Amino acid sequence: MTKLRFPVAWRSTLLLGALLAALFAATAPHARAATAADARVSFRVQATTQGETLLVSGSAPQLGSWDPAKAVPLGTTASAYPHWSSSVQLPVGTTVQYKYIKRSPTGELTWESTPNRTLTVSAGTTGTDDRWNVLP
């Protein structure tokens, strides 16, 4: 077996790519077809991080049913930072509890220490505007 060698500068990029691929693959099984009784809900949170990834997990299957391995990854851009977001389809009329999680590059998880957040989904629900570890 031949061992591949990558330049040191590429190793962190390859590791980040592998982690992102694993995150997206972990959330794929929870996708389901949207129905007229669903609302597209954006989870938005303001959080400063130091190389961590942000996730949202909660009581609904679309949020991973509290399993951090199935949590929904949030994304940001250089111009949007420190605002992170992601959207999911949730059934209208349901009430979900959720929390945000920080995942370090080594995989260590830090859950928000505040009580669970609650969202009741209606046809007009567009999303949340949260701050890390701060309840409204």
Side-chain angles (χ1 to χ4, degrees):
M1 178 181 266
T2 304
K3 187 175 182 179
L4 295 175
R5 294 185 185 268
F6 294 100
V8 173
W10 288 19
R11 289 183 186 157
S12 61
T13 302
L14 291 171
L15 178 61
L16 178 61
L19 287 171
L20 288 174
L23 283 172
F24 291 126
T27 60
H30 301 291
R32 64 176 182 84
T35 69
D38 284 348
R40 183 163 200 74
V41 178
S42 293
F43 288 87
R44 296 180 296 266
V45 61
Q46 181 179 341
T48 54
T49 64
Q50 294 184 4
E52 294 127 331
T53 302
L54 274 144
L55 312 154
V56 61
S57 185
S59 58
Q62 297 86 340
L63 298 176
S65 300
W66 295 116
D67 180 351
K70 297 176 184 174
V72 177
L74 298 155
T76 190
T77 63
S79 62
Y81 183 83
H83 300 276
W84 298 73
S85 65
S86 187
S87 297
V88 297
Q89 294 288 135
L90 292 171
V92 170
T94 60
T95 298
V96 295
Q97 292 189 341
Y98 66 98
K99 279 189 179 219
Y100 296 103
I101 309 167
K102 287 183 180 181
R103 179 181 294 159
S104 75
T106 62
E108 182 180 340
L109 301 176
T110 304
W111 291 77
E112 289 184 292
S113 60
T114 57
N116 294 348
R117 299 170 186 270
T118 302
L119 173 70
T120 300
V121 181
S122 68
T125 301
T126 58
T128 68
D129 284 306
D130 298 319
R131 289 179 47 210
W132 169 263
N133 235 10
V134 176
L135 288 179

PDB file of all heavy atoms in Angstrom, residues 41-66:
ATOM      1  N   VAL A  41     -37.949  27.364   7.913  1.00  0.00           N
ATOM      2  CA  VAL A  41     -37.551  28.122   9.098  1.00  0.00           C
ATOM      3  C   VAL A  41     -36.037  28.299   9.085  1.00  0.00           C
ATOM      4  O   VAL A  41     -35.295  27.322   8.981  1.00  0.00           O
ATOM      5  CB  VAL A  41     -37.993  27.402  10.389  1.00  0.00           C
ATOM      6  CG1 VAL A  41     -37.548  28.164  11.612  1.00  0.00           C
ATOM      7  CG2 VAL A  41     -39.506  27.197  10.394  1.00  0.00           C
ATOM      8  N   SER A  42     -35.594  29.541   9.189  1.00  0.00           N
ATOM      9  CA  SER A  42     -34.160  29.846   9.253  1.00  0.00           C
ATOM     10  C   SER A  42     -33.753  30.010  10.712  1.00  0.00           C
ATOM     11  O   SER A  42     -34.350  30.800  11.439  1.00  0.00           O
ATOM     12  CB  SER A  42     -33.847  31.134   8.495  1.00  0.00           C
ATOM     13  OG  SER A  42     -34.068  30.964   7.127  1.00  0.00           O
ATOM     14  N   PHE A  43     -32.757  29.244  11.103  1.00  0.00           N
ATOM     15  CA  PHE A  43     -32.177  29.398  12.433  1.00  0.00           C
ATOM     16  C   PHE A  43     -30.972  30.312  12.282  1.00  0.00           C
ATOM     17  O   PHE A  43     -30.020  29.980  11.586  1.00  0.00           O
ATOM     18  CB  PHE A  43     -31.788  28.028  13.008  1.00  0.00           C
ATOM     19  CG  PHE A  43     -32.982  27.222  13.407  1.00  0.00           C
ATOM     20  CD1 PHE A  43     -33.631  26.414  12.493  1.00  0.00           C
ATOM     21  CD2 PHE A  43     -33.478  27.304  14.704  1.00  0.00           C
ATOM     22  CE1 PHE A  43     -34.749  25.692  12.858  1.00  0.00           C
ATOM     23  CE2 PHE A  43     -34.592  26.579  15.071  1.00  0.00           C
ATOM     24  CZ  PHE A  43     -35.239  25.780  14.146  1.00  0.00           C
ATOM     25  N   ARG A  44     -31.059  31.488  12.896  1.00  0.00           N
ATOM     26  CA  ARG A  44     -29.998  32.492  12.808  1.00  0.00           C
ATOM     27  C   ARG A  44     -29.506  32.790  14.222  1.00  0.00           C
ATOM     28  O   ARG A  44     -30.307  33.035  15.130  1.00  0.00           O
ATOM     29  CB  ARG A  44     -30.523  33.768  12.155  1.00  0.00           C
ATOM     30  CG  ARG A  44     -30.949  33.571  10.705  1.00  0.00           C
ATOM     31  CD  ARG A  44     -31.477  34.842  10.075  1.00  0.00           C
ATOM     32  NE  ARG A  44     -32.688  35.329  10.712  1.00  0.00           N
ATOM     33  CZ  ARG A  44     -33.922  35.050  10.313  1.00  0.00           C
ATOM     34  NH1 ARG A  44     -34.115  34.268   9.270  1.00  0.00           N
ATOM     35  NH2 ARG A  44     -34.962  35.546  10.949  1.00  0.00           N
ATOM     36  N   VAL A  45     -28.190  32.790  14.377  1.00  0.00           N
ATOM     37  CA  VAL A  45     -27.602  33.053  15.689  1.00  0.00           C
ATOM     38  C   VAL A  45     -26.347  33.903  15.510  1.00  0.00           C
ATOM     39  O   VAL A  45     -25.601  33.733  14.556  1.00  0.00           O
ATOM     40  CB  VAL A  45     -27.285  31.744  16.457  1.00  0.00           C
ATOM     41  CG1 VAL A  45     -26.287  30.886  15.713  1.00  0.00           C
ATOM     42  CG2 VAL A  45     -26.829  32.017  17.866  1.00  0.00           C
ATOM     43  N   GLN A  46     -26.167  34.826  16.425  1.00  0.00           N
ATOM     44  CA  GLN A  46     -24.953  35.634  16.462  1.00  0.00           C
ATOM     45  C   GLN A  46     -24.019  34.986  17.462  1.00  0.00           C
ATOM     46  O   GLN A  46     -24.355  34.826  18.636  1.00  0.00           O
ATOM     47  CB  GLN A  46     -25.272  37.062  16.886  1.00  0.00           C
ATOM     48  CG  GLN A  46     -24.059  37.962  16.932  1.00  0.00           C
ATOM     49  CD  GLN A  46     -24.421  39.385  17.332  1.00  0.00           C
ATOM     50  OE1 GLN A  46     -25.557  39.805  17.243  1.00  0.00           O
ATOM     51  NE2 GLN A  46     -23.427  40.113  17.776  1.00  0.00           N
ATOM     52  N   ALA A  47     -22.833  34.597  16.994  1.00  0.00           N
ATOM     53  CA  ALA A  47     -21.868  33.922  17.866  1.00  0.00           C
ATOM     54  C   ALA A  47     -20.460  34.148  17.348  1.00  0.00           C
ATOM     55  O   ALA A  47     -20.208  33.993  16.158  1.00  0.00           O
ATOM     56  CB  ALA A  47     -22.156  32.424  17.925  1.00  0.00           C
ATOM     57  N   THR A  48     -19.566  34.510  18.241  1.00  0.00           N
ATOM     58  CA  THR A  48     -18.156  34.599  17.873  1.00  0.00           C
ATOM     59  C   THR A  48     -17.516  33.247  18.165  1.00  0.00           C
ATOM     60  O   THR A  48     -17.843  32.589  19.151  1.00  0.00           O
ATOM     61  CB  THR A  48     -17.430  35.712  18.656  1.00  0.00           C
ATOM     62  OG1 THR A  48     -17.626  35.501  20.042  1.00  0.00           O
ATOM     63  CG2 THR A  48     -17.964  37.073  18.264  1.00  0.00           C
ATOM     64  N   THR A  49     -16.647  32.841  17.288  1.00  0.00           N
ATOM     65  CA  THR A  49     -16.003  31.534  17.419  1.00  0.00           C
ATOM     66  C   THR A  49     -14.527  31.669  17.117  1.00  0.00           C
ATOM     67  O   THR A  49     -14.097  32.650  16.530  1.00  0.00           O
ATOM     68  CB  THR A  49     -16.612  30.518  16.443  1.00  0.00           C
ATOM     69  OG1 THR A  49     -16.335  30.966  15.115  1.00  0.00           O
ATOM     70  CG2 THR A  49     -18.105  30.357  16.637  1.00  0.00           C
ATOM     71  N   GLN A  50     -13.796  30.676  17.530  1.00  0.00           N
ATOM     72  CA  GLN A  50     -12.370  30.627  17.219  1.00  0.00           C
ATOM     73  C   GLN A  50     -12.094  29.289  16.552  1.00  0.00           C
ATOM     74  O   GLN A  50     -11.626  28.349  17.187  1.00  0.00           O
ATOM     75  CB  GLN A  50     -11.540  30.814  18.483  1.00  0.00           C
ATOM     76  CG  GLN A  50     -11.692  32.189  19.076  1.00  0.00           C
ATOM     77  CD  GLN A  50     -10.788  32.407  20.268  1.00  0.00           C
ATOM     78  OE1 GLN A  50      -9.981  31.561  20.614  1.00  0.00           O
ATOM     79  NE2 GLN A  50     -10.936  33.542  20.907  1.00  0.00           N
ATOM     80  N   GLY A  51     -12.464  29.182  15.284  1.00  0.00           N
ATOM     81  CA  GLY A  51     -12.249  27.963  14.524  1.00  0.00           C
ATOM     82  C   GLY A  51     -13.312  26.903  14.720  1.00  0.00           C
ATOM     83  O   GLY A  51     -13.194  25.819  14.169  1.00  0.00           O
ATOM     84  N   GLU A  52     -14.359  27.204  15.500  1.00  0.00           N
ATOM     85  CA  GLU A  52     -15.404  26.216  15.734  1.00  0.00           C
ATOM     86  C   GLU A  52     -16.456  26.246  14.633  1.00  0.00           C
ATOM     87  O   GLU A  52     -16.546  27.192  13.876  1.00  0.00           O
ATOM     88  CB  GLU A  52     -16.105  26.477  17.077  1.00  0.00           C
ATOM     89  CG  GLU A  52     -15.205  26.285  18.255  1.00  0.00           C
ATOM     90  CD  GLU A  52     -15.188  27.488  19.168  1.00  0.00           C
ATOM     91  OE1 GLU A  52     -15.394  28.618  18.693  1.00  0.00           O
ATOM     92  OE2 GLU A  52     -14.952  27.296  20.352  1.00  0.00           O
ATOM     93  N   THR A  53     -17.239  25.192  14.598  1.00  0.00           N
ATOM     94  CA  THR A  53     -18.408  25.093  13.737  1.00  0.00           C
ATOM     95  C   THR A  53     -19.627  25.241  14.631  1.00  0.00           C
ATOM     96  O   THR A  53     -19.626  24.756  15.764  1.00  0.00           O
ATOM     97  CB  THR A  53     -18.446  23.717  13.044  1.00  0.00           C
ATOM     98  OG1 THR A  53     -17.248  23.544  12.290  1.00  0.00           O
ATOM     99  CG2 THR A  53     -19.638  23.594  12.128  1.00  0.00           C
ATOM    100  N   LEU A  54     -20.665  25.892  14.144  1.00  0.00           N
ATOM    101  CA  LEU A  54     -21.908  26.012  14.902  1.00  0.00           C
ATOM    102  C   LEU A  54     -22.952  25.075  14.328  1.00  0.00           C
ATOM    103  O   LEU A  54     -23.030  24.872  13.114  1.00  0.00           O
ATOM    104  CB  LEU A  54     -22.419  27.451  14.869  1.00  0.00           C
ATOM    105  CG  LEU A  54     -21.798  28.282  15.966  1.00  0.00           C
ATOM    106  CD1 LEU A  54     -21.538  29.682  15.514  1.00  0.00           C
ATOM    107  CD2 LEU A  54     -22.701  28.281  17.165  1.00  0.00           C
ATOM    108  N   LEU A  55     -23.761  24.504  15.220  1.00  0.00           N
ATOM    109  CA  LEU A  55     -24.826  23.574  14.859  1.00  0.00           C
ATOM    110  C   LEU A  55     -26.069  23.958  15.625  1.00  0.00           C
ATOM    111  O   LEU A  55     -25.987  24.607  16.675  1.00  0.00           O
ATOM    112  CB  LEU A  55     -24.445  22.140  15.245  1.00  0.00           C
ATOM    113  CG  LEU A  55     -23.067  21.653  14.839  1.00  0.00           C
ATOM    114  CD1 LEU A  55     -22.576  20.562  15.760  1.00  0.00           C
ATOM    115  CD2 LEU A  55     -23.123  21.135  13.422  1.00  0.00           C
ATOM    116  N   VAL A  56     -27.230  23.517  15.150  1.00  0.00           N
ATOM    117  CA  VAL A  56     -28.462  23.642  15.911  1.00  0.00           C
ATOM    118  C   VAL A  56     -29.040  22.235  16.041  1.00  0.00           C
ATOM    119  O   VAL A  56     -29.066  21.465  15.091  1.00  0.00           O
ATOM    120  CB  VAL A  56     -29.473  24.624  15.264  1.00  0.00           C
ATOM    121  CG1 VAL A  56     -29.904  24.190  13.878  1.00  0.00           C
ATOM    122  CG2 VAL A  56     -30.681  24.832  16.175  1.00  0.00           C
ATOM    123  N   SER A  57     -29.454  21.902  17.253  1.00  0.00           N
ATOM    124  CA  SER A  57     -30.037  20.588  17.529  1.00  0.00           C
ATOM    125  C   SER A  57     -31.300  20.803  18.328  1.00  0.00           C
ATOM    126  O   SER A  57     -31.427  21.792  19.054  1.00  0.00           O
ATOM    127  CB  SER A  57     -29.061  19.719  18.322  1.00  0.00           C
ATOM    128  OG  SER A  57     -29.594  18.415  18.483  1.00  0.00           O
ATOM    129  N   GLY A  58     -32.248  19.887  18.189  1.00  0.00           N
ATOM    130  CA  GLY A  58     -33.491  20.074  18.923  1.00  0.00           C
ATOM    131  C   GLY A  58     -34.380  18.857  18.932  1.00  0.00           C
ATOM    132  O   GLY A  58     -33.973  17.758  18.546  1.00  0.00           O
ATOM    133  N   SER A  59     -35.617  19.090  19.361  1.00  0.00           N
ATOM    134  CA  SER A  59     -36.558  18.002  19.594  1.00  0.00           C
ATOM    135  C   SER A  59     -37.145  17.416  18.311  1.00  0.00           C
ATOM    136  O   SER A  59     -37.658  16.301  18.329  1.00  0.00           O
ATOM    137  CB  SER A  59     -37.687  18.492  20.512  1.00  0.00           C
ATOM    138  OG  SER A  59     -38.360  19.606  19.938  1.00  0.00           O
ATOM    139  N   ALA A  60     -37.095  18.134  17.217  1.00  0.00           N
ATOM    140  CA  ALA A  60     -37.657  17.650  15.949  1.00  0.00           C
ATOM    141  C   ALA A  60     -36.645  16.766  15.211  1.00  0.00           C
ATOM    142  O   ALA A  60     -35.437  16.997  15.292  1.00  0.00           O
ATOM    143  CB  ALA A  60     -38.046  18.830  15.065  1.00  0.00           C
ATOM    144  N   PRO A  61     -37.130  15.777  14.464  1.00  0.00           N
ATOM    145  CA  PRO A  61     -36.217  14.947  13.677  1.00  0.00           C
ATOM    146  C   PRO A  61     -35.384  15.777  12.694  1.00  0.00           C
ATOM    147  O   PRO A  61     -34.220  15.463  12.443  1.00  0.00           O
ATOM    148  CB  PRO A  61     -37.148  13.991  12.912  1.00  0.00           C
ATOM    149  CG  PRO A  61     -38.416  13.975  13.693  1.00  0.00           C
ATOM    150  CD  PRO A  61     -38.525  15.317  14.352  1.00  0.00           C
ATOM    151  N   GLN A  62     -35.955  16.864  12.166  1.00  0.00           N
ATOM    152  CA  GLN A  62     -35.229  17.725  11.223  1.00  0.00           C
ATOM    153  C   GLN A  62     -34.068  18.448  11.896  1.00  0.00           C
ATOM    154  O   GLN A  62     -33.182  18.968  11.224  1.00  0.00           O
ATOM    155  CB  GLN A  62     -36.178  18.764  10.607  1.00  0.00           C
ATOM    156  CG  GLN A  62     -37.302  18.171   9.790  1.00  0.00           C
ATOM    157  CD  GLN A  62     -38.525  17.800  10.631  1.00  0.00           C
ATOM    158  OE1 GLN A  62     -38.467  17.637  11.845  1.00  0.00           O
ATOM    159  NE2 GLN A  62     -39.641  17.650   9.962  1.00  0.00           N
ATOM    160  N   LEU A  63     -34.064  18.499  13.232  1.00  0.00           N
ATOM    161  CA  LEU A  63     -32.980  19.118  13.997  1.00  0.00           C
ATOM    162  C   LEU A  63     -32.115  18.066  14.687  1.00  0.00           C
ATOM    163  O   LEU A  63     -31.328  18.377  15.575  1.00  0.00           O
ATOM    164  CB  LEU A  63     -33.549  20.101  15.029  1.00  0.00           C
ATOM    165  CG  LEU A  63     -34.322  21.290  14.451  1.00  0.00           C
ATOM    166  CD1 LEU A  63     -34.917  22.131  15.572  1.00  0.00           C
ATOM    167  CD2 LEU A  63     -33.434  22.131  13.556  1.00  0.00           C
ATOM    168  N   GLY A  64     -32.308  16.812  14.315  1.00  0.00           N
ATOM    169  CA  GLY A  64     -31.459  15.747  14.828  1.00  0.00           C
ATOM    170  C   GLY A  64     -31.959  15.054  16.076  1.00  0.00           C
ATOM    171  O   GLY A  64     -31.276  14.203  16.631  1.00  0.00           O
ATOM    172  N   SER A  65     -33.138  15.420  16.574  1.00  0.00           N
ATOM    173  CA  SER A  65     -33.715  14.789  17.775  1.00  0.00           C
ATOM    174  C   SER A  65     -32.722  14.761  18.933  1.00  0.00           C
ATOM    175  O   SER A  65     -32.549  13.753  19.601  1.00  0.00           O
ATOM    176  CB  SER A  65     -34.210  13.375  17.460  1.00  0.00           C
ATOM    177  OG  SER A  65     -35.204  13.417  16.458  1.00  0.00           O
ATOM    178  N   TRP A  66     -32.053  15.887  19.162  1.00  0.00           N
ATOM    179  CA  TRP A  66     -31.080  16.093  20.239  1.00  0.00           C
ATOM    180  C   TRP A  66     -29.793  15.286  20.078  1.00  0.00           C
ATOM    181  O   TRP A  66     -28.966  15.263  20.966  1.00  0.00           O
ATOM    182  CB  TRP A  66     -31.684  15.826  21.622  1.00  0.00           C
ATOM    183  CG  TRP A  66     -32.774  16.781  21.983  1.00  0.00           C
ATOM    184  CD1 TRP A  66     -34.081  16.467  22.192  1.00  0.00           C
ATOM    185  CD2 TRP A  66     -32.670  18.202  22.187  1.00  0.00           C
ATOM    186  NE1 TRP A  66     -34.802  17.608  22.497  1.00  0.00           N
ATOM    187  CE2 TRP A  66     -33.950  18.683  22.513  1.00  0.00           C
ATOM    188  CE3 TRP A  66     -31.620  19.108  22.118  1.00  0.00           C
ATOM    189  CZ2 TRP A  66     -34.213  20.027  22.768  1.00  0.00           C
ATOM    190  CZ3 TRP A  66     -31.878  20.445  22.366  1.00  0.00           C
ATOM    191  CH2 TRP A  66     -33.161  20.887  22.697  1.00  0.00           C
TER     192      TRP A  66
END
